[in-house]
Amino acid sequence: GVGRTTLPTRDREASELSAPEKLAAGWKKDVLLVPGAALVILAILLVSLIAQLSFMGAISHTRNQEVLYSQFRESLANATAPTGQVADGALIALGTPVALLEIPAIGVKEVVVEGTTSTQLMSGPGHSRDSVLPGQSGNAVMVGRQAGYGGPFARLGELKVNQKFSVTTGQGVQQYKVSAIRQGDQAPVGNPASRLTLVSAAGTPFVPSKALFVDADLTSPVQATPTQVLSQSSLAKAERAFGGESGAWIAVALWLQVLAIVVIAIVVAAVRWGKVQAWVVGLPLILFVTLSMSEQVTRLLPNVL
């Protein structure tokens, strides 16, 4: 009759579909939505990883150095700065500030922490736990990143023989003079009573080809040297140059599960609400998850990157 409105057959059939049937129809219509979303998220993850190693890592490194400097200055003022592998009957905690390294020739002024895993080297150079502290009798070893997280040892290869620098520890200011720069498997020259070896990577940033070593001999008086508790064989692979933290796989796996849940939620939301609305809500979640996961991924990478 007059005034009666009828829907076209296709629209009427669509309106009569149940919610599950509408969702299934949406899936058929957007069959490429899942792989498309996966590719977008993979790209975001790669960008997050690069950002984490570069400018975001540099910001984190700067912030951590400010905190560590305050902590180390306070420990020096209170005469509580570590002078050996053990303090108060226990090994020095990983991440504890143990020295201040100053190399004017290459613009380095870094607080050095105890430990050399990827996690510790996110904050700055690390002191190898199996070695003596700078100024003591024996070979002290410090490891630092070439490019990532501020790249504190980026210019290490620019040092020249006989250039001088200093390291402040709980035993005072120790003076050093560069004696050799070597790469790869080259053995150190000579056997001085007290030496400091700075270790990083040589080659293209983020894809280094070999290890870089700078040997420096102590020119100030040798300090008292406590008995060593840890030996080189005591160190895990993650604490050696080019070592990665295999334990980070657990955290990466957990974040992958979270990422998978977020992806599924975005795809479902895109079918029900629309693509634009789904990405507006989901993109901040994706960024949070990928940045969090990229930090764990960097722990798997060689510690000197």
Side-chain angles (χ1 to χ4, degrees):
V2 179
R4 183 176 179 180
T5 303
T6 60
L7 292 172
T9 303
R10 183 175 299 176
D11 291 344
R12 185 171 60 253
E13 291 176 351
S15 66
E16 293 172 355
L17 292 176
S18 64
E21 290 173 332
K22 288 181 179 179
L23 185 59
W27 282 107
K28 291 178 181 179
K29 179 180 178 181
D30 295 308
V31 67
L32 297 179
L33 190 60
V34 175
L39 289 174
V40 170
I41 291 167
L42 178 60
I44 293 174
L45 178 58
L46 292 175
V47 171
S48 297
L49 181 59
I50 295 172
Q52 186 67 42
L53 280 169
S54 55
F55 70 91
M56 290 189 66
I59 294 172
S60 174
H61 164 263
T62 300
R63 183 186 68 248
N64 290 336
Q65 279 289 304
E66 291 176 353
V67 174
L68 289 168
Y69 184 80
S70 297
Q71 293 176 349
F72 188 59
R73 183 174 60 180
E74 182 178 354
S75 66
L76 288 177
N78 295 327
T80 57
T83 57
Q85 294 179 343
V86 176
D88 298 326
L91 291 173
I92 300 174
L94 294 174
T96 301
V98 297
L100 176 65
L101 174 65
E102 297 180 89
I103 313 178
I106 56 174
V108 169
K109 184 176 181 180
E110 292 278 323
V111 178
V112 180
V113 300
E114 184 74 350
T116 52
T117 68
S118 288
T119 298
Q120 276 83 62
L121 298 193
M122 290 177 181
S123 299
H127 167 250
S128 186
R129 298 191 301 147
D130 65 322
S131 69
V132 298
L133 285 172
Q136 297 176 356
S137 178
N139 188 22
V141 178
M142 292 181 180
V143 183
R145 292 183 180 272
Q146 177 201 28
Y149 288 88
F153 280 4
R155 299 177 58 195
L156 198 62
E158 297 178 20
L159 284 173
K160 307 296 182 183
V161 173
N162 293 326
Q163 286 185 321
K164 298 178 180 180
F165 63 90
S166 65
V167 184
T168 303
T169 69
Q171 294 173 309
V173 180
Q174 321 303 326
Q175 302 292 340
Y176 283 92
K177 182 171 66 175
V178 176
S179 59
I181 296 96
R182 50 195 175 89
Q183 294 186 6
D185 298 327
Q186 296 177 359
V189 179
N191 187 28
S194 184
R195 166 185 283 155
L196 172 61
T197 299
L198 305 176
V199 184
S200 190
T204 306
F206 299 113
V207 285
S209 55
K210 61 186 71 175
L212 172 66
F213 304 90
V214 172
D215 296 322
D217 297 338
L218 183 70
T219 58
S220 54
V222 178
Q223 303 297 320
T225 307
T227 302
Q228 297 296 102
V229 178
L230 293 175
S231 63
Q232 187 174 14
S233 60
S234 304
L235 291 185
K237 292 182 179 180
E239 296 186 67
R240 300 171 186 172
F242 284 87
E245 297 179 61
S246 58
W249 276 116
I250 297 175
V252 171
L254 292 174
W255 279 114
L256 278 173
Q257 293 179 32
V258 174
L259 184 60
I261 293 172
V262 172
V263 170
I264 293 172
I266 289 177
V267 172
V268 171
V271 172
R272 289 192 171 186
W273 302 339
K275 296 177 182 179
V276 175
Q277 295 90 331
W279 280 109
V280 167
V281 175
L283 188 58
L285 290 174
I286 289 292
L287 290 174
F288 171 76
V289 174
T290 54
L291 285 172
S292 299
M293 185 164 66
S294 64
E295 182 175 353
Q296 300 304 318
V297 172
T298 58
R299 293 174 56 201
L300 297 170
L301 301 176
N303 54 2
V304 293
L305 290 185

